[in-house]
Amino acid sequence: MRRFVTLVVLLLFTLPFGMSIAGCGKKASVAFCVAGDSGPVVGQLTTVTLQPKLYGISLNFAEIGQVSSPTTADCKGSSVSVTGYTYATTDLTVADINPTTGRLCGGTWNRNSGGGIADFTTCNPTNKSGTAYITATAQGVTSNPLPVYIHPVVTSVVLGNPSTDCINDPATNCSTASANYSPASCTVNPANGCCTVAPPLVATAVAANSCLSQGQTGVLAARVYAGSGNNVTNISCQAGHLNYSPQNTSVVTIDQNGVATAVAPGSTIINSNLSNAGSSAGFFSTCPPASISLTIPNSTNNTSVVVNENNIQPITATVLDTNGVTLTGLKLEYLSTTPSTLPSGGAASVTPSFSGAGVITAICLPPSCNPAPFNQIGLFGNGKQIISNPIEVTTPGTSTTVLYMASTQSLYLVPLDFNTPVLGTPVRLPYVPTSMVISNDGSTIYLGSATELMVFNALTNALSRQDQSVQGNVLAVSPDNTTLVIADPIRQLVYLYSAAGGIQTQYGGVATRAQFTPDSQTVYITAGNQLLVHSTFTGWTSISGSTLPALATPVTDVAVTVPSTGAFFAGATTTARADCPLTTVTNTNGVQTTTNVFYPDAGVVGPPSDRVAATNDGKHILGATVTPTGTLTDLNVGVPVGACPVNGGLTFTATPILTSVLPGVTATSITGVLTSSDSSTAFVTYTGTGGVVPEYNPAVSGAGTLSNVTLSGSAVAPVTGVFSSDNTTFYVGTTGDNQVHILTKGATGFVDTTTPIAPKLPDANGNLVVPNLLVQRPRKLT
C-alpha cells in the first residue's frame, strides 16, 4: 500500500512537468528554394563553378598547373561551405588531374610508381596536343566543364594583324578559344584546332605597325609559336585563350576579350599571359599629338598679350593627333622663359608676379605625356616631345631690385635693396666663391668654391648651409629650383645636385657652361670637346669627336632655343642640336623597334662665337667673340614647333643678319651676352679695355642697331651684368673702379648717369677687387 501511495505522489509531480517540456518543443523549419514543402533547400549546394570558365587554362607539355578554388552557391546565390572536391578529366592522356587537390598535369601523372615515390608528383609528357575538360564534384553537384589546352612549349607570342587564312597563317582569331568563336561560323580543322575560315572579329582589328586614336577600340590578335631556329611551329589555335595586359595603363586598357581601348598618346609593351607564364607579345600605340595650338580666350591676337601684375590670364590649348582627332586630358606642361617674374604654375594660365616680359609655351613631354619604351622611342612619333606655338606676355609697370654683389677674389657678399637704398651689411663667407647663381624664386643663392658649396638665404641675408661633398663652380639652377649643375675642375666631374642636398648623378668632364630647358627636364652642358646632355627621360648623352655626327669644334657656351626644341652652341663655328632624336626603324619578324641618335646636329653652320644668347621672341641667336677682333653676330633663326618628325631630327635655319666689330672695345675675353626678357636689348660684357658697354637692339626684321653706352668715371671694362626684371635697368660690374654701374633705359637707349655702387669688396690683403659676381631678385616698389 505504501508503495502505491508513493507512486501516485511521483506521478502528480512528474507528469505536468514532463507534459510541459513536450508542449514547448518544436520541429526545426526548412526553407525551400521555391514555394511549397519540397524541392531544393536554401543553403544546400546547387552550383559549383570553375574559372575561367569561358577561356580555360593553357599548359605546355609536362607543365604543372593548378585549378583555382571552385566557387559554390545555393539556389539563392549564397556561398556554401564545402569540405572537399573530387576532380576529373575527360582525357587523362591530354590533361591529367589530381582527383583530390586539382593539381593539373600537361600529360599524365605518375601512379603506383613504387620506390617511395608519391602519386601525382611527376608529370609525364605524352606530347599529345589537344583539349581536355576537367570538372569538380562536391555533394553530388558537378561543376561546369573547364577546357584545358595542352600544347608544345610556347617560345614566343607576337602581336600582329588578324589572320585571314586560318589554314596557312593561323592567329589567335582562328582559335575556338577566341572571343571571336561562334560554333555556327566555325568548322574546326582537326590538324591544328583552327577554324577553317576566320570568324568575324568581335571588334575592328588593331592593325600591326599602326596606332589608334584616343577613344578608339580594336581587337588584338597574336601568333603563338613553339620551337626555335628552323623548327618553329605556329600553335596559335592549340594554345587557348590569351590574356593581355599593358605595362602602361595610361596608354591603353584591354578587356578579357582582347579588345584594346586607346586612352592617351603613347606607346607601351603588351604582355600576354599564357601557360601560367607572362611574356612580351608586342607593343601598342595610341596616336601621338601632331600639334598643340595655344590661344587667348576672347582675343583675336594669339601671338602676344598684355597682362597686369597678379591678374590671371587663361590660356586655351587645342591638341590634334596624327589622325586629326582632338585630344583631351593630356598632361601638358606650361613653360615660361622668365619664371621668376612670369610663373606659369604648370597650368593653362599665367599670373605675372612682377612687371616684365616672357614667352609661354605648352609642351607634351615624355614620360608624363606621350611616353614610349626606350626601344620604341620615335615609332609613330611616340616618345617624342611636341611643342606649341609661343605666346609673348608683357606685364607693364616697374619694380625694384635687391642686388647681390660678390667677387671671385673676396670673402664678402654685399646686398643692396633699392627700396632703401642703402648698402646692406657685408656678409663674410667661409670661402672665396668661384661662382654665384640665384634660384628663380629669388629665395636662395648658391655659391661654389674650391672647398665647398655655400648656400645663402636671400630672404634673411645669412648663410643657411655648407656642403663639402661638392666643390667647384655652380653653373646653373633649374627653373623649378630643384637641381643645380656643379662642375668640379679638379676631379673633372659634373654633378647634378639636389637643391635640398645630395648628388643626384654625375658624369666625367670639365664643364664650363650649362643651361636648363624651361621644363627643368633637360640640361645642356658644355665641356670643351664634349657636349653633355642630361634628360630625366633618357639619362646622360655624351657627344664628342668620336660620336656621329661629331662635334666640329669645342663648345664654349650654350643657349636654349625659344621655344625649347634644341640649343645653340658657341665655338669656332656656331652649331645647334635638336631635342628631336634621329630615329631608325627596324622590322624583325613583323615587330618594329627603333634606335635613336639623341640630340642630333640641327644643320647650323654659323660664324664663330665665344658666348651666345637667345632672345625670348625666338627670332635671334646673338653671339660675341674676341677672334680675330671683338665681334657681335646676330643669327635670324627659325625653330620649328609642333611634333618631331617621325624618323628624322629637326633642322633649324640660322641666317646671319649682322656681323659687326664691337666699336671702341679691345677685349681679351667675352664674359657674357645678356638679353632683356622683352627681347629689345642685349649687352656684351668682356675683359680688356674700352670703357664702354656694347648695346645691341634687335630688329623685328633685318639687322638691329649696335651702339655703345659710355661708362662714367674711371671704369675700364664691364666684366659682368644683370638686368632688372622690368628691363629698365642694367647693373654692370666694372674693372678700373671696382664698382657696379647702373645703366638706365631712356628714350634713346641706356645711359650711365646714376652714381655707381661701391660695394668695396676686399681681397685677402685688403685691396678692393672687381665685383664680378652679380645676381638680383625683383621686389615690389614700396
Side-chain angles (χ1 to χ4, degrees):
M1 184 66 181
R2 182 178 296 174
R3 292 178 180 173
F4 176 77
V5 172
T6 302
L7 178 61
V8 170
V9 171
L10 288 174
L11 288 173
L12 289 173
F13 280 97
T14 59
L15 281 176
F17 183 71
M19 292 172 63
S20 174
I21 292 176
C24 291
K26 56 183 178 180
K27 188 177 181 180
S29 63
V30 175
F32 294 97
C33 293
V34 295
D37 57 0
S38 64
V41 177
V42 174
Q44 184 180 38
L45 181 67
T46 59
T47 305
V48 177
T49 304
L50 289 177
Q51 296 287 2
K53 64 180 181 179
L54 291 181
Y55 301 122
I57 297 173
S58 174
L59 292 177
N60 296 318
F61 289 157
E63 185 178 4
I64 296 173
Q66 177 67 49
V67 177
S68 61
S69 297
T71 58
T72 60
D74 64 7
C75 59
K76 298 296 185 180
S78 299
S79 178
V80 178
S81 176
V82 173
T83 58
Y85 299 91
T86 300
Y87 296 94
T89 176
T90 58
D91 191 340
L92 58 80
T93 65
V94 174
D96 199 358
I97 191 167
N98 185 317
T100 58
T101 66
R103 202 168 184 227
L104 283 166
C105 164
T108 300
W109 283 118
N110 67 302
R111 292 176 175 82
N112 305 316
S113 300
I117 300 175
D119 291 346
F120 305 108
T121 56
T122 302
C123 181
N124 300 302
T126 60
N127 294 333
K128 183 177 179 180
S129 297
T131 305
Y133 294 87
I134 59 173
T135 56
T137 302
Q139 299 177 15
V141 179
T142 300
S143 73
N144 58 291
L146 183 71
V148 179
Y149 303 94
I150 306 301
H151 48 77
V153 176
V154 174
T155 54
S156 65
V157 179
V158 181
L159 284 177
N161 291 319
S163 173
T164 57
D165 183 354
C166 291
I167 296 177
N168 300 301
D169 178 32
T172 53
N173 66 298
C174 300
S175 172
T176 58
S178 166
N180 306 285
Y181 173 71
S182 171
S185 62
C186 176
T187 301
V188 178
N189 179 359
N192 61 7
C194 291
C195 298
T196 54
V197 178
L201 296 175
V202 297
T204 303
V206 177
N209 304 326
S210 64
C211 63
L212 291 183
S213 290
Q214 184 182 58
Q216 290 183 341
T217 60
V219 64
L220 299 176
R223 285 162 178 79
V224 183
Y225 298 98
S228 60
N230 295 324
N231 189 27
V232 176
T233 304
N234 186 321
I235 60 169
S236 299
C237 296
Q238 301 167 6
H241 180 75
L242 268 67
N243 290 312
Y244 302 99
S245 60
Q247 283 191 0
N248 189 342
T249 55
S250 69
V251 172
V252 63
T253 59
I254 306 172
D255 70 11
Q256 63 179 358
N257 294 320
V259 176
T261 302
V263 177
S267 175
T268 183
I269 293 172
I270 301 296
N271 292 320
S272 66
N273 190 302
L274 187 68
S275 302
N276 290 335
S279 65
S280 175
F283 298 87
F284 178 92
S285 170
T286 299
C287 298
S291 65
I292 304 173
S293 176
L294 295 187
T295 57
I296 303 298
N298 303 317
S299 174
T300 57
N301 186 351
N302 291 317
T303 60
S304 62
V305 63
V306 176
V307 185
N308 292 325
E309 284 185 27
N310 302 318
N311 284 5
I312 298 177
Q313 174 60 61
I315 298 173
T316 300
T318 302
V319 187
L320 300 179
D321 75 359
T322 51
N323 290 332
V325 174
T326 300
L327 300 174
T328 61
L330 267 62
K331 295 180 179 179
L332 299 179
E333 294 186 42
Y334 293 84
L335 312 176
S336 169
T337 56
T338 51
S340 59
T341 59
L342 193 68
S344 65
S349 64
V350 60
T351 306
S353 53
F354 294 95
S355 56
V359 170
I360 298 293
T361 53
I363 182 172
C364 172
L365 182 69
S368 60
C369 179
N370 193 35
F374 195 84
N375 66 339
Q376 293 290 304
I377 292 175
L379 187 62
F380 311 126
N382 297 129
K384 293 187 176 184
Q385 67 178 32
I386 298 91
I387 295 282
S388 75
N389 58 294
I391 294 180
E392 297 178 33
V393 180
T394 302
T395 301
T398 58
S399 59
T400 187
T401 296
V402 181
L403 186 67
Y404 300 88
M405 298 164 282
S407 174
T408 56
Q409 303 171 63
S410 176
L411 283 170
Y412 290 89
L413 171 66
V414 178
L416 174 58
D417 186 341
F418 281 88
N419 262 334
T420 352
V422 177
L423 280 174
T425 302
V427 178
R428 193 179 193 278
L429 301 171
Y431 300 97
V432 174
T434 58
S435 53
M436 182 168 69
V437 299
I438 189 169
S439 61
N440 281 287
D441 62 5
S443 66
T444 309
I445 298 173
Y446 301 96
L447 301 106
S449 76
T451 305
E452 67 177 19
L453 171 69
M454 299 172 286
V455 182
F456 184 83
N457 189 318
L459 305 180
T460 63
N461 284 335
L463 202 67
S464 61
R465 183 161 51 91
Q466 298 169 249
D467 190 343
Q468 292 193 355
S469 68
V470 284
Q471 305 89 34
N473 303 318
V474 182
L475 302 182
V477 59
S478 61
D480 63 4
N481 309 308
T482 63
T483 307
L484 308 178
V485 180
I486 301 176
D488 185 341
I490 303 301
R491 294 179 177 83
Q492 298 189 9
L493 290 172
V494 182
Y495 305 111
L496 294 189
Y497 179 88
S498 171
I503 297 170
Q504 298 173 342
T505 182
Q506 65 187 44
Y507 204 92
V510 181
T512 54
R513 307 287 172 193
Q515 188 174 357
F516 282 89
T517 54
D519 53 41
S520 301
Q521 302 300 301
T522 303
V523 60
Y524 295 91
I525 304 167
T526 61
N529 286 320
Q530 182 180 213
L531 168 62
L532 300 177
V533 188
H534 184 271
S535 164
T536 56
F537 185 39
T538 57
W540 287 99
T541 298
S542 173
I543 303 169
S544 62
S546 61
T547 304
L548 294 177
L551 285 177
T553 57
V555 288
T556 57
D557 198 12
V558 55
V560 172
T561 63
V562 179
S564 59
T565 56
F568 280 76
F569 300 92
T573 301
T574 299
T575 57
R577 299 270 160 174
D579 275 354
C580 294
L582 191 63
T583 303
T584 301
V585 180
T586 57
N587 191 316
T588 303
N589 295 327
V591 178
Q592 293 192 80
T593 57
T594 64
T595 55
N596 287 283
V597 175
F598 293 105
Y599 311 102
D601 188 88
V604 171
V605 180
S609 56
D610 299 328
R611 299 297 299 271
V612 289
T615 57
N616 276 344
D617 60 9
K619 298 177 181 177
H620 303 272
I621 295 293
L622 305 179
T625 180
V626 297
T627 305
T629 58
T631 304
L632 176 74
T633 58
D634 182 357
L635 297 180
N636 181 253
V637 295
V639 179
V641 298
C644 293
V646 172
N647 294 326
L650 287 178
T651 300
F652 301 160
T653 59
T655 305
I657 55 176
L658 176 78
T659 301
S660 178
V661 172
L662 299 172
V665 172
T666 302
T668 56
S669 68
I670 301 296
T671 58
V673 178
L674 303 118
T675 61
S676 61
S677 63
D678 62 2
S679 307
S680 65
T681 308
F683 289 106
V684 178
T685 58
Y686 58 91
T687 60
T689 59
V692 296
V693 185
E695 175 186 348
Y696 181 64
N697 303 113
V700 175
S701 63
T705 304
L706 178 63
S707 60
N708 281 335
V709 178
T710 301
L711 293 168
S712 62
S714 59
V716 173
V719 295
T720 189
V722 61
F723 273 98
S724 63
S725 63
D726 59 10
N727 300 309
T728 61
T729 308
F730 186 71
Y731 306 97
V732 56
T734 57
T735 57
D737 59 2
N738 299 323
Q739 294 182 334
V740 175
H741 287 245
I742 305 173
L743 310 187
T744 56
K745 189 173 185 177
T748 58
F750 283 79
V751 293
D752 182 11
T753 57
T754 305
T755 301
I757 306 164
K760 297 181 180 180
L761 299 170
D763 64 10
N765 299 316
N767 300 312
L768 298 184
V769 293
V770 59
N772 57 3
L773 300 174
L774 299 179
V775 296
Q776 69 89 35
R777 66 180 175 92
R779 281 202 62 186
K780 302 290 186 183
L781 286 168
T782 59

